[in-house]
Amino acid sequence: MKILVCLKQILDPDIPPRDFAIDRDNRRAARGSANLVTNIFCENALETALQLREKAEGEITALTFGPSSAEDVLRKALALKADHACLVEDEAGEYRNSATTALVLAAAIRKLGEFDLIMVGREAGDWGAGQTGGLLAEQLGLPSVSFVDSIEATADGVTLRRQTELGWEKVEATTPLVVTITNNDENVPRIPKTRDIMMSARKPVTNWKLSDIDVTCDDITAAGTALEVVDLAIPEKTTECEFIEGDSIDEKIDAFAKRLASIVQSA
Amino acid sequence: MMLLAALNPAEATREVMWNISHSWVMYMLLVPTMIIAGRGVYRQVQKWRAGQPAARFDRPAERIKRVVKHVLLQQATLRDRFAGVYHFLLFWGMITLTIATTVVLIHHDFSIDIMRGRFYLYFQSLFVDVLGVLAMTGVAMLAVRRWIVRPKKLVYTDESTWLLVLLFAILGTGFLLEGWRIAATNDPWGNWSPAGIVISKASLAVASVETLTTLHWLVWWFHMALVFGLIAWAPYTKLLHVLTAPLNIYTANLDAGGGTLKQIDFESAQSFGINSLEQFTWKDLLDLDACTECGRCTSVCPANTVGKQLSPRDIILDLQSLLDRNDLASRNSKSDGEQPDEYKPAFPVIGQTDNLSSDALFECTTCAACVEICPVSIEQLPKIVDMRRFQVMERAEFPQQMQDAISSLEGRGHPFKGTQLSRMDWAEGMDVPTIEDVDAPEVLLWVGCGGALVDRNQRSTRALANLLKQAGVNFAILGREETCTGDPARRIGNEFLFETLATQNIETLKTHNIKSVLTSCPHCFNTFRNEYPKLGGDFEVLHHTTYLAKLIGEGRLTLDAKAAERIAFHDPCYLGRHNGITDAPRKILKQLTGSAPAEMEKHGRQSFCCGGGGGLSFVDEPPDKRVNQERARQALDTNAETLAVGCPFCTTMMEDGINAVKGDREMVVKDIAEVMWETVSRE
């Protein structure tokens, strides 16, 4: 089975809140002191792919679209024993929305070859839009299944388990297919072995510019208009503390419940 | 005439080999005895030689001093009073008896007439007899301990039982022989052998001289057979420690306790970490054969104390039995020309027994109580870390929360995943100078992740910074440039990450031309002091307890009011045991309160871990097996109102532990800097 996993490099979402800053003029997050990390759901996707490869023969290609620093997420994937890695370098380094990203990824995938399974994280920890997977399937003209947390290979395709509000759904699907991956207890990303980290530095990474995959600035601009960020702000966090009065504990509980109900109603 | 001659002490002697003919038979039997014993020793020596190199013959003067202290004077052994005393008696008793036998050999076989006169009376008769009695007392105490007291830390094997019986039989028959000889020869000097004369008189009361002569002959050969049997068998038993213990003490690691982990050459290492017997150094393998099964290491192990699997004694003994079962010399170097994808251990160790399971290895807090207590200088801790390294770097299989800490160290330079604090938060509103503001600071205050990124410890760090300002110390902090020293990475077993962080920090400090580093974290302190020098980072390193004591001594800080509360002190492992700093904090506390701090039973170098070392502070321990709660109980038993500590990890571990078990008792945990800041004169 040929698997392609899309990975996104994002600002570390685990930084302390007061270290988080935005560049309001450009409507994007400011780098500040934050490190760059692989988006967690992308890591879940890679982990799911690695587990699938352990059970069914196959090859894993890791693909990312981003600035040159995004090569780090590919090195990490190679350290985890992804077979191939490809970076589409975004020289402009501007904010790209889901539609642009899907367009670029689709072009790169077409050039990379045929894949049975294209795996994308459910959403990214920076913008949390959760659109890229679906839009990518659209671009490639493939069916897609979202919120998948487990995959098994079958004779003529795959059996997928997807999370829904009501529980799990089991989906049988034929390939090729795009899936978006969410997390569960079984796809907690593994960590690489030290020797593999050292070896990964020597493995080749395909490095393409947008021109290498025949995407022009006009294409990008056109795709980008599908979505526009109008403003960006950090919500102000306020805390109000209120003590419920009452003569007895029962009274207090009663008053507490009523107050709670009124808050819920007004919200 | 006879009587006169006999009473002249200058002529005192006895007939050597009385009643024994055909003594050549004894020498014939000595040959196979020595061959069997020699083979046993040679076999083990060959096994040690299969290990990796280790330089352990430098600084001979220091090593000889160790041997005098711990072999001849038995200092470490005597720390366990009862066992120490009987071992001391047996040790010197058996040595004396061996010397006495050698004297007989010189006298009889080399025909040098030395068993005569005062030497014969004072040494060969009286002294040897008394030491023999003391050795027998030792055997009795040993028997009482092994069969009546039965402490949990001992290993109960048939081998130990037989060795004990054999020692008893050899000493017992020795006394009988002496007594019967005195009786049958009517030895005029018999009174110089107090035990001998008693047996002589008692025997004559029940048997005739002829009977005793016959019995003497029989028992003499029996005694000889027992001694030869013991000599032949000893190298195959734990009695091998008669040879290996002194050797092991001589070749001990002379580095400070906190600096004993090995470095890895990542370019040439066959594997990162150890999972095969021959990957250990020869000294590691010698360690295994030096073990006397005394069990002290396990009895002081904090993890074992709270009921976890980890047992340093059993790690050593299980490795020893693996060493016994495998012929290390036979390893065939099979190379099929291709570098295998994964390292295949020739004589695997991890997971071979429950005691060597990965789970047990990761329960170690690296407190080194085991290393400290071992009477024969065995290093359990570096071996545990060696095996952890394999799990971490070769297999990437270790506890999830430690993985999170490692990932956080890789990505964020600190081990606290999800902390809400950033490096400079603690200094808010305090006007603490960063390195950019100060030209040549007296000291660089290395805050440490524990001091900066854990809510509770911000108070301690602020107190320390306030004290430095109060004393007018020209200091600076690195601020956002500071990252973890790498201590947790190294203890968890990620040596690669440790080296990366260490190299980076050394570079940063050199860039800023830092000469002197002050830190309140004993883990940072230990890393700077004992580990960075090996990577090219030589800085003067100060722990805040010693530095504050110095500031008081120099009059730069004066204490205002005596602290009213009763204070106990918990020694952080990486301060006390690993680096020998136990006086400075006590000196400060004494000056603060006017009296010496309350002490827990386990303190100073024998302190009991808070449970937070070795990456364990990032792990949720099972609720019923928490090291910090055990230590909290010990602290509460002092009835002190305050528990002073000198380590950010100890602070949080002890605070959590005390809150969990205190019941209606009250005890607050404070860093020594906090206690001091409360009582120091302020301007």
Side-chain angles (χ1 to χ4, degrees):
Chain A
M1 184 175 287
K2 289 191 76 176
I3 306 168
L4 182 125
V5 184
C6 298
L7 302 170
K8 183 180 186 184
Q9 187 179 50
I10 61 169
L11 293 180
D12 185 357
D14 267 344
I15 57 167
R18 69 161 73 194
D19 282 359
F20 181 71
I22 54 168
D23 173 0
R24 198 160 184 171
D25 293 341
N26 291 307
R27 295 184 293 277
R28 59 196 286 180
R31 167 82 192 263
S33 61
N35 303 294
L36 297 169
V37 298
T38 310
N39 174 38
I40 179 67
F41 292 113
C42 298
E43 289 190 305
N44 295 132
L46 180 60
E47 177 60 34
T48 310
L50 290 166
Q51 289 178 16
L52 188 60
R53 188 183 64 178
E54 277 160 18
K55 283 178 265 174
E57 293 283 289
E59 271 192 0
I60 297 173
T61 303
L63 170 66
T64 190
F65 169 51
S68 56
S69 67
E71 189 180 317
D72 288 351
V73 306
L74 297 178
R75 293 284 167 209
K76 196 168 174 201
L78 289 170
L80 288 169
K81 300 286 184 82
D83 300 283
H84 312 286
C86 175
L87 166 70
V88 180
E89 199 178 326
D90 187 3
E91 287 151 296
E94 280 170 30
Y95 161 67
R96 305 298 189 186
N97 65 32
S98 310
T100 349
T101 306
L103 173 88
V104 173
L105 291 177
I109 291 168
R110 277 191 290 268
K111 187 162 175 180
L112 281 169
E114 303 269 306
F115 293 94
D116 301 301
L117 207 52
I118 291 160
M119 290 159 75
V120 183
R122 152 188 132 184
E123 63 182 270
D126 48 4
W127 289 89
Q131 300 299 311
T132 306
L135 291 168
L136 177 63
E138 187 72 23
Q139 288 279 347
L140 292 169
L142 294 176
S144 79
V145 182
S146 57
F147 291 97
V148 172
D149 70 4
S150 154
I151 303 177
E152 269 173 53
T154 57
D156 51 357
V158 283
T159 303
L160 310 162
R161 192 177 68 177
R162 72 181 291 267
Q163 291 178 10
T164 73
E165 292 86 346
L166 302 171
W168 277 310
E169 266 178 18
K170 209 166 198 179
V171 180
E172 282 176 3
T174 52
T175 54
L177 177 73
V178 176
V179 291
T180 75
I181 300 290
T182 189
N183 61 319
N184 74 356
D185 287 348
E186 286 126 52
N187 64 11
V188 177
R190 68 189 69 185
I191 60 167
K193 298 171 186 171
T194 301
R195 192 178 298 277
D196 294 336
I197 295 176
M198 292 166 70
M199 299 296 280
S200 74
R202 294 176 211 157
K203 287 191 179 166
V205 168
T206 307
N207 200 323
W208 284 336
K209 308 271 182 264
L210 287 174
S211 55
D212 291 320
I213 51 170
D214 300 325
V215 174
T216 65
C217 287
D218 291 346
D219 297 336
I220 297 248
T221 313
T225 53
L227 184 78
E228 190 191 350
V229 178
V230 181
D231 194 8
L232 192 65
I234 296 176
E236 213 167 296
K237 205 168 117 187
T238 53
T239 316
E240 274 176 56
C241 190
E242 186 181 332
F243 283 92
I244 302 293
E245 306 288 338
D247 291 333
S248 67
I249 186 76
D250 287 335
E251 250 178 60
K252 284 181 190 171
I253 291 172
D254 199 40
F256 183 80
K258 281 184 182 140
R259 182 74 187 99
L260 208 58
S262 75
I263 293 170
V264 172
Q265 267 166 16
S266 66
Chain B
M1 244 345 251
M2 270 299 287
L3 196 66
L4 273 178
L7 288 177
N8 178 6
E11 288 303 311
T13 187
R14 70 169 165 94
E15 191 187 333
V16 178
M17 303 292 266
W18 168 79
N19 199 27
I20 302 304
S21 57
H22 302 90
S23 63
W24 56 271
V25 175
M26 176 179 77
Y27 295 102
M28 291 286 292
L29 288 173
L30 191 58
V31 174
T33 302
M34 293 316 281
I35 289 175
I36 295 170
R39 181 187 157 274
V41 174
Y42 179 77
R43 197 183 64 152
Q44 295 315 116
V45 173
Q46 286 305 99
K47 290 193 180 208
W48 310 331
R49 286 168 58 96
Q52 305 304 309
R56 292 297 175 83
F57 292 100
D58 56 334
R59 297 184 262 174
E62 263 177 80
R63 297 185 181 282
I64 289 168
K65 218 169 108 190
R66 281 186 66 88
V67 170
V68 171
K69 271 166 76 174
H70 299 305
V71 181
L72 300 184
L73 301 178
Q74 303 261 300
Q75 277 185 5
T77 311
L78 280 164
R79 281 205 293 247
D80 181 335
R81 280 296 156 78
F82 190 81
V85 166
Y86 76 61
H87 191 272
F88 190 87
L89 297 179
L90 265 174
F91 174 79
W92 279 110
M94 295 314 277
I95 285 183
T96 308
L97 292 169
T98 309
I99 293 171
T101 310
T102 315
V103 167
V104 173
L105 175 102
I106 294 169
H107 184 92
H108 183 258
D109 297 308
F110 295 99
S111 303
I112 301 171
D113 191 16
I114 57 171
M115 276 178 65
R116 186 169 296 281
R118 290 198 167 78
F119 173 73
Y120 172 70
L121 292 181
Y122 297 148
F123 177 77
Q124 195 76 352
S125 297
L126 183 62
F127 186 73
V128 172
D129 200 68
V130 170
L131 268 282
V133 172
L134 291 177
M136 199 56 151
T137 315
V139 169
M141 289 168 77
L142 214 164
V144 166
R145 183 159 179 262
R146 188 160 279 276
W147 289 329
I148 299 169
V149 183
R150 296 187 70 84
K152 193 174 142 253
K153 64 183 175 186
L154 289 190
V155 183
Y156 295 88
T157 57
D158 290 346
E159 180 193 289
S160 330
T161 307
W162 280 112
L163 285 172
L164 179 54
V165 169
L166 205 48
L167 278 177
F168 173 78
I170 288 169
L171 287 168
T173 51
F175 278 118
L176 291 178
L177 289 171
E178 184 186 45
W180 294 340
R181 179 191 54 76
I182 291 168
T185 61
N186 192 18
D187 186 345
W189 303 104
N191 283 332
W192 287 85
S193 303
I197 201 75
V198 170
I199 292 167
S200 161
K201 290 194 169 140
S203 304
L204 281 173
V206 293
S208 68
V209 168
E210 290 70 34
T211 316
L212 292 181
T213 306
T214 314
L215 277 174
H216 177 276
W217 185 84
L218 279 171
V219 171
W220 192 93
W221 285 104
F222 180 59
H223 176 81
M224 189 225 59
L226 290 180
V227 172
F228 283 15
L230 182 66
I231 293 172
W233 189 37
Y236 303 89
T237 69
K238 65 176 181 176
L239 262 195
L240 181 63
H241 84 267
V242 169
L243 296 176
T244 49
L247 185 57
N248 214 46
I249 289 168
Y250 184 83
T251 56
N253 196 330
L254 298 181
D255 287 346
T260 57
L261 299 183
K262 297 165 199 155
Q263 284 178 276
I264 293 181
D265 179 356
F266 284 95
E267 289 304 312
S268 66
Q270 191 185 23
S271 74
F272 304 154
I274 289 180
N275 185 25
S276 190
L277 284 175
E278 88 289 353
Q279 293 184 309
F280 285 112
T281 67
W282 63 265
K283 174 59 172 61
D284 283 322
L285 300 176
L286 173 62
D287 267 4
L288 309 180
D289 283 333
C291 181
T292 64
E293 305 177 6
C294 76
R296 294 184 194 186
C297 50
T298 290
S299 75
V300 297
C301 173
N304 193 275
T305 304
V306 299
K308 294 186 185 179
Q309 169 82 47
L310 179 67
S311 166
R313 175 196 70 193
D314 295 297
I315 286 178
I316 297 300
L317 290 180
D318 286 3
L319 286 173
Q320 185 197 77
S321 85
L322 286 174
L323 185 67
D324 261 355
R325 288 207 300 271
N326 287 294
D327 184 5
L328 262 54
S330 78
R331 187 163 66 102
N332 48 353
S333 52
K334 42 180 182 220
S335 69
D336 16 32
E338 211 174 313
Q339 185 78 17
D341 197 28
E342 204 173 318
Y343 167 75
K344 296 268 187 301
F347 306 103
V349 288
I350 300 168
Q352 294 300 303
T353 67
D354 289 348
N355 297 311
L356 293 168
S357 68
S358 187
D359 288 350
L361 296 174
F362 283 100
E363 285 169 352
C364 174
T365 64
T366 69
C367 78
C370 50
V371 181
E372 176 71 19
I373 198 85
C374 181
V376 296
S377 305
I378 292 171
E379 292 174 76
Q380 298 88 341
L381 172 58
K383 290 185 232 332
I384 291 174
V385 174
D386 280 337
M387 291 185 276
R388 279 183 174 198
R389 287 173 174 175
F390 192 88
Q391 290 301 97
V392 171
M393 293 190 286
E394 291 288 339
R395 289 186 167 150
E397 288 168 15
F398 58 108
Q400 183 60 47
Q401 286 168 311
M402 288 192 189
Q403 293 190 19
D404 292 343
I406 291 287
S407 302
S408 188
L409 279 171
E410 282 170 341
R412 306 178 188 106
H414 68 73
F416 300 108
K417 186 191 177 196
T419 179
Q420 297 297 296
L421 299 172
S422 61
R423 291 256 173 217
M424 294 292 287
D425 284 1
W426 67 271
E428 208 174 74
M430 271 190 73
D431 192 24
V432 174
T434 59
I435 194 70
E436 284 82 19
D437 312 329
V438 186
D439 242 359
E442 235 177 291
V443 289
L444 177 88
L445 173 59
W446 183 275
V447 181
C449 310
L453 301 173
V454 178
D455 211 11
R456 161 63 185 90
N457 295 324
Q458 291 193 318
R459 292 210 303 273
S460 323
T461 309
R462 292 172 73 95
L464 176 58
N466 278 325
L467 286 167
L468 295 178
K469 287 175 137 189
Q470 179 65 42
V473 176
N474 177 24
F475 75 102
I477 58 169
L478 276 183
R480 289 193 177 276
E481 270 188 83
E482 196 182 291
T483 60
C484 175
T485 56
D487 163 85
R490 189 163 214 212
R491 266 75 209 170
I492 288 171
N494 196 328
E495 185 70 3
F496 186 70
L497 179 56
F498 164 72
E499 272 199 20
T500 311
L501 290 166
T503 315
Q504 188 185 319
N505 285 327
I506 292 170
E507 198 56 46
T508 308
L509 292 179
K510 282 186 174 167
T511 308
H512 291 297
N513 203 17
I514 301 297
K515 301 273 180 283
S516 196
V517 180
L518 168 69
T519 179
S520 64
C521 174
H523 297 266
C524 298
F525 174 75
N526 180 66
T527 308
F528 275 118
R529 187 196 208 191
N530 297 315
E531 302 185 329
Y532 279 17
K534 291 173 186 164
L535 296 166
D538 281 300
F539 310 99
E540 184 195 18
V541 194
L542 305 153
H543 188 252
H544 75 316
T545 53
T546 38
Y547 194 66
L548 292 173
K550 185 173 150 241
L551 291 178
I552 298 173
E554 289 171 353
R556 291 170 80 177
L557 285 175
T558 45
L559 303 173
D560 209 8
K562 294 264 184 247
E565 71 236 64
R566 198 172 135 76
I567 302 179
F569 183 68
H570 161 79
D571 291 270
C573 304
Y574 276 79
L575 192 65
R577 191 154 38 239
H578 284 94
N579 287 292
I581 297 174
T582 54
D583 289 343
R586 288 178 170 78
K587 221 167 108 188
I588 294 176
L589 290 174
K590 192 163 179 198
Q591 271 168 308
L592 288 175
T593 61
S595 58
E599 297 288 7
M600 292 176 257
E601 189 200 325
K602 295 179 178 206
H603 65 271
R605 295 184 71 107
Q606 269 71 46
S607 182
F608 189 90
C609 183
C610 70
L616 267 293
S617 71
F618 314 115
V619 174
D620 290 327
E621 297 173 274
D624 58 333
K625 291 175 184 165
R626 294 198 166 160
V627 174
N628 61 341
Q629 295 184 3
E630 174 62 29
R631 186 54 168 172
R633 283 186 205 99
Q634 298 171 12
L636 287 163
D637 285 344
T638 62
N639 289 320
E641 293 147 309
T642 300
L643 179 69
V645 294
C647 169
F649 289 93
C650 294
T651 307
T652 50
M653 293 302 286
M654 291 311 297
E655 202 165 81
D656 290 350
I658 287 169
N659 287 336
V661 300
K662 68 178 180 184
D664 50 10
R665 292 186 282 185
E666 282 304 330
M667 178 177 252
V668 290
V669 179
K670 288 180 194 164
D671 188 273
I672 257 187
E674 289 180 276
V675 188
M676 244 180 106
W677 181 237
E678 286 167 11
T679 50
V680 84
S681 312
R682 301 183 200 181
E683 276 160 20

